[in-house]
Amino acid sequence: MYLFPRQLLIRHFWTPKQQIDFLDIYHALRKQSYPEILCYLERVAPLISDAGLRWHMTELCTKMQHGTHPAVHDILALRECFSNHPLGMNQLHALQMKALSRAMLLTPHLPPVVLRHRLKTHTTVIHQLDKALAKLGIGQLTAQEVKSACYLRGLNSTHIAEERCRTWLGEWLQISCSLKEAELSLLLHNVVLLSTNYIGTSR
């Protein structure tokens, strides 16, 4: 436990410095999958039947590749693409599910049917937490609770000011609470879409 605290000790027993260092390590691991997930969205854009949605998806991918943080309405405009072919939860390819699993800090080394079930379950739980959190109000959370909530949803909040974390979490909840159960694939991809280019996330 002394030599391998990150692997053998739960977060409660980490020192403050270890918490920052270890969370950075975990985020660096999940961040490796972000470009792969965005490239997949770009590749499947031509498969979207609606011309307007197809244009929006291509435009979003281009903006993100140029370092732009997308607006909430830009993400929500694509919700229909994530409810059925080609990006609905039941239509995702195995490689995309593996990449999304890594982004959610879940093991990708499982059969596709198990990966899909785990991603569905994990995203549904977050969606339910989001509804409860929206009802409670972000203002009721402590600084540490806000940072933990952001980290769970894909943002490396350890180096971002509390107010910026609250702003980001507000954007996340605005998207999440607008989605129906059939559109939760968008919430899953939102881990990447909303966090990749957020100010202060160069680490």
Side-chain angles (χ1 to χ4, degrees), residues 28-29 35 78 143 179 185 202:
L29 290 173
L78 294 167
L179 299 178
S185 178
S202 58

Side-chain angles (χ1 to χ4, degrees), residues 182-194:
E183 301 166 334
L184 288 187
S185 178
L186 175 54
L187 190 63
L188 182 57
H189 285 80
N190 202 40
V191 169
V192 178
L193 296 175
L194 204 61

Side-chain angles (χ1 to χ4, degrees), residues 26-193:
Y26 285 128
H27 183 74
L29 290 173
R30 70 181 176 187
K31 193 177 178 182
Q32 290 174 4
S33 65
Y34 287 9
E36 184 180 344
I37 292 167
L38 288 174
C39 284
Y40 180 84
L41 293 179
E42 191 173 34
R43 286 200 308 273
V44 301
L47 302 177
I48 298 172
S49 56
D50 184 278
L53 291 175
R54 189 163 60 242
W55 181 87
H56 272 296
M57 178 65 78
T58 304
E59 187 75 1
L60 177 67
C61 291
T62 301
K63 284 181 178 179
M64 293 201 63
Q65 287 168 351
H66 286 85
T68 300
H69 176 66
V72 168
H73 63 82
D74 287 332
I75 294 175
L76 283 175
L78 294 167
R79 57 197 298 173
E80 189 180 329
C81 304
F82 291 86
S83 62
N84 46 46
H85 181 77
L87 291 165
M89 196 74 83
N90 292 326
Q91 284 79 37
L92 294 175
H93 289 182
L95 288 178
Q96 181 73 339
M97 289 192 293
K98 287 180 181 294
L100 287 165
S101 294
R102 292 196 299 274
M104 298 296 282
L105 294 176
L106 299 171
T107 177
H109 308 298
L110 293 168
V113 65
V114 180
L115 287 178
R116 196 183 312 277
H117 175 73
R118 288 190 69 187
L119 288 172
K120 279 183 179 179
T121 303
H122 202 69
T123 310
T124 299
V125 169
I126 290 177
H127 191 224
Q128 291 170 345
L129 287 173
D130 289 343
K131 289 179 179 179
L133 184 52
K135 190 174 293 185
L136 173 68
I138 298 175
Q140 300 299 314
L141 300 182
T142 66
Q144 186 55 50
E145 287 170 340
V146 168
K147 285 180 174 281
S148 295
C150 289
Y151 193 91
L152 172 67
R153 292 158 176 82
L155 184 73
N156 187 9
S157 52
T158 52
H159 303 281
I160 301 178
E162 179 191 341
E163 283 309 307
R164 292 216 57 82
C165 287
R166 290 184 185 274
T167 300
W168 185 90
L169 188 57
E171 292 181 4
W172 174 281
L173 292 180
Q174 192 177 341
I175 292 169
S176 180
C177 294
S178 300
L179 299 178
K180 301 173 184 175
E181 186 177 346
E183 301 166 334
L184 288 187
S185 178
L186 175 54
L187 190 63
L188 182 57
H189 285 80
N190 202 40
V191 169
V192 178
L193 296 175

